[in-house]
Amino acid sequence: MIHGRIISDKSNIKQVNEILRELYIQEMNCKEEDILRELLKQTYYVLLYEGINDECPLACGCLLIDEGIAKISLVAVKSKFRGQLYEDLAIRMLIDKSISLGINIIYADLPVSQITIFEKIGFYKDTDYKILDSEDIKSMVKDVIRLKYNMKMWNLCQNNHSNVD
């Protein structure tokens, strides 16, 4: 059983760091100080756990809200849990959190290697956007791309749920 939590305080930051360290620092060779600097800016985090306790974190993601715009970044899944759609779940939870806050402009700054999962959820390449500290993540990860979320995807999903008896 997998469960997730959205947190806004730094109480579980060690668990977020553990997951990010595996993907971004060990596997992608990013500088730890760059990852930590990005984390200090974040407003909300999602953590996914295996089991009913919060003892085994397996995935995380970060959400920054700035001037009515949401930015999703640093989505990571521990290597032994990859390929099981946990990254998908974490992203969708961050989208839902953004929308629950009344935000309808959502971007994702991500490594090129994560494009496919974000596009499946409804993100697309967009050239008309406001820069939100994109240089910070570009200094961490090579070949970073910014995608925008298609709000029609969320609305379509909501309409499908409301039509189910």
Side-chain angles (χ1 to χ4, degrees):
M1 176 176 150
I2 304 298
H3 76 280
R5 294 188 325 150
I6 298 279
I7 57 173
S8 59
D9 59 19
K10 305 285 192 235
S11 62
N12 295 74
I13 201 71
K14 286 183 181 182
Q15 293 175 331
V16 172
N17 285 338
E18 174 188 327
I19 297 166
L20 294 177
R21 187 171 280 114
E22 180 181 317
L23 177 65
Y24 287 96
I25 297 168
Q26 294 172 358
E27 294 178 24
M28 298 178 80
N29 297 317
C30 299
K31 294 179 183 174
E32 187 168 11
E33 59 269 15
D34 291 338
I35 298 295
L36 294 176
R37 185 175 52 248
E38 183 75 1
L39 278 177
L40 292 175
K41 298 178 191 174
Q42 303 306 321
T43 305
Y44 298 96
Y45 308 91
V46 65
L47 273 164
L48 299 182
Y49 297 94
E50 183 178 45
I52 58 173
N53 298 320
D54 294 352
E55 295 171 5
C56 183
L58 56 98
C60 68
C62 302
L63 175 68
L64 173 67
I65 307 297
D66 185 19
E67 297 180 15
I69 297 173
K71 181 182 81 169
I72 295 172
S73 66
L74 299 176
V75 176
V77 178
K78 287 185 176 180
S79 58
K80 69 179 183 177
F81 295 104
R82 291 186 194 143
Q84 300 179 48
L85 296 178
Y86 298 137
E87 187 175 39
D88 180 285
L89 177 58
I91 296 164
R92 290 177 191 275
M93 288 178 71
L94 293 171
I95 291 168
D96 286 346
K97 181 62 179 178
S98 301
I99 292 169
S100 75
L101 294 169
I103 307 293
N104 61 8
I105 301 171
I106 305 170
Y107 291 100
D109 288 346
L110 57 132
V112 172
S113 62
Q114 292 180 328
I115 288 176
T116 303
I117 189 75
F118 277 82
E119 286 180 333
K120 285 180 182 177
I121 293 170
F123 284 84
Y124 63 95
K125 295 174 188 167
D126 178 49
T127 56
D128 182 30
Y129 59 84
K130 180 181 177 191
I131 302 293
L132 291 174
D133 300 320
S134 64
E135 292 306 313
D136 290 338
I137 196 164
K138 285 180 182 179
S139 71
M140 290 185 277
V141 182
K142 295 178 185 173
D143 300 324
V144 171
I145 191 164
R146 175 169 276 195
L147 301 179
K148 184 176 183 180
Y149 183 65
N150 181 352
M151 290 301 292
K152 291 178 184 175
M153 295 295 287
W154 190 82
N155 292 331
L156 178 64
C157 185
Q158 290 302 107
N159 289 337
N160 287 342
H161 286 293
S162 65
N163 292 333
V164 176
D165 290 327

